[in-house]
Amino acid sequence: MKVLLSAPRAGSSYFYEYIEAENLKLPNVKPAYKKSEFLNPDILPEKTLDQKIDWLEKERKNGTEYTFKHHINYLMLPKYDYYNNWFIDFYKNDDIIVLRRRDYWKWFLSFLFQDFHSWKTAGVMLNDNNFLKDIKNHWQEYDFNKSIHQFISIVKQLDKCKGHTVYYEDLTYESKKYKKLSSFVDYEKYFVNIDTIKSLFHNEMHKQKIK
């Protein structure tokens, strides 16, 4: 089975469509849930991460594997590192694909844009013609410094992961479900202080030695 490991705004929703289609060709593989981020704490919030993992392990013993996409920030938590203490061993016989982006600025800008309107357009469906209204209605002030530090923390987590690396910029797959938001929205125009944000972002990336 192919296992997609990535991070927010790296293009995982796009690429996971392909991964899921490939996995579902296998006779013992099923979707874990109707939404693809099964371990996201906002999905089935009545279940803890440990409970979800226990269920996956029990289902495997019964012969069933489940496909979904992983984001590293749901695995490497402050209180416990599920990536090193569970993920690596659980998927040791699977094909791990790590999806990243080469262009850190564009990656961060997409991340920042979502932070400023509560991630309401993180996955815009092809038939959604109201997404520009959604952006306007949910736009709110947010501390961009917090976005910078959170983004860099997630990138550093993903850099520790092992697997076959794929870059978003190299993908040729076209989504059958989602719009590519950056094709419709100029993110930079939403920020009057974009030059300040950009300068602080690049300075912090340099400090953290991320190239």
Side-chain angles (χ1 to χ4, degrees):
M1 184 172 72
K2 300 180 189 301
V3 179
L4 181 62
L5 178 60
S6 190
R9 308 312 294 168
S12 60
S13 293
Y14 256 50
F15 194 40
Y16 179 69
E17 285 182 45
Y18 165 78
I19 299 293
E20 183 182 56
E22 289 296 300
N23 285 341
L24 292 179
K25 292 177 183 177
L26 301 173
N28 63 327
V29 177
K30 298 179 181 179
Y33 189 64
K34 58 186 176 182
K35 293 186 177 181
S36 59
E37 292 177 25
F38 179 60
L39 299 187
N40 182 333
D42 294 328
I43 293 174
L44 296 173
E46 69 276 12
K47 301 287 187 184
T48 67
L49 182 52
D50 285 320
Q51 287 173 330
K52 291 178 180 179
I53 286 172
D54 285 345
W55 179 75
L56 290 170
E57 291 176 343
K58 287 175 183 175
E59 287 294 294
R60 172 174 286 181
K61 288 177 182 176
N62 292 329
T64 303
E65 299 286 343
Y66 287 90
T67 179
F68 56 97
K69 66 175 182 174
H70 293 265
H71 278 177
I72 190 57
N73 52 312
Y74 301 145
L75 292 168
M76 286 187 178
L77 303 178
K79 292 183 179 180
Y80 193 75
D81 183 350
Y82 288 89
Y83 171 73
N84 282 294
N85 294 304
W86 173 72
F87 180 96
I88 291 174
D89 183 66
F90 188 74
Y91 290 114
K92 63 186 176 185
N93 296 319
D94 293 301
D95 180 13
I96 310 300
I97 300 170
V98 182
L99 179 65
R100 315 169 191 269
R101 291 180 72 159
R102 288 193 179 92
D103 192 321
Y104 286 113
W105 170 244
K106 286 185 178 179
W107 185 1
F108 170 68
L109 190 57
S110 178
F111 187 95
L112 178 74
F113 184 79
Q114 294 297 327
D115 269 347
F116 270 74
H117 69 287
S118 304
W119 293 75
K120 296 296 183 182
T121 57
V124 178
M125 307 302 289
L126 288 175
N127 61 355
D128 183 353
N129 296 314
N130 296 313
F131 64 95
L132 292 176
K133 273 187 191 176
D134 290 338
I135 294 170
K136 183 178 179 181
N137 291 339
H138 292 99
W139 195 261
Q140 60 184 5
E141 288 305 310
Y142 193 85
D143 183 0
F144 62 81
N145 288 292
K146 183 178 178 181
S147 298
I148 290 172
H149 290 112
Q150 185 182 14
F151 175 80
I152 288 175
S153 174
I154 292 171
V155 168
K156 289 172 77 173
Q157 287 178 333
L158 196 62
D159 283 346
K160 296 174 183 176
C161 298
K162 295 180 181 179
H164 173 62
T165 295
V166 173
Y167 289 99
Y168 170 76
E169 290 84 352
D170 295 336
L171 295 180
T172 57
Y173 179 83
E174 291 189 16
S175 176
K176 297 178 178 65
K177 296 181 181 178
Y178 300 103
K179 282 180 165 70
K180 185 178 179 181
L181 191 61
S182 59
S183 297
F184 299 89
V185 178
D186 184 346
Y187 297 145
E188 293 196 12
K189 287 185 177 179
Y190 280 80
F191 302 95
V192 294
N193 57 343
I194 190 64
D195 291 336
T196 299
I197 294 173
K198 193 170 189 176
S199 176
L200 289 170
F201 170 75
H202 285 301
N203 286 341
E204 193 60 33
M205 291 286 282
H206 180 71
K207 283 182 191 176
Q208 297 296 328
K209 299 180 180 180
I210 300 173
K211 298 178 180 180

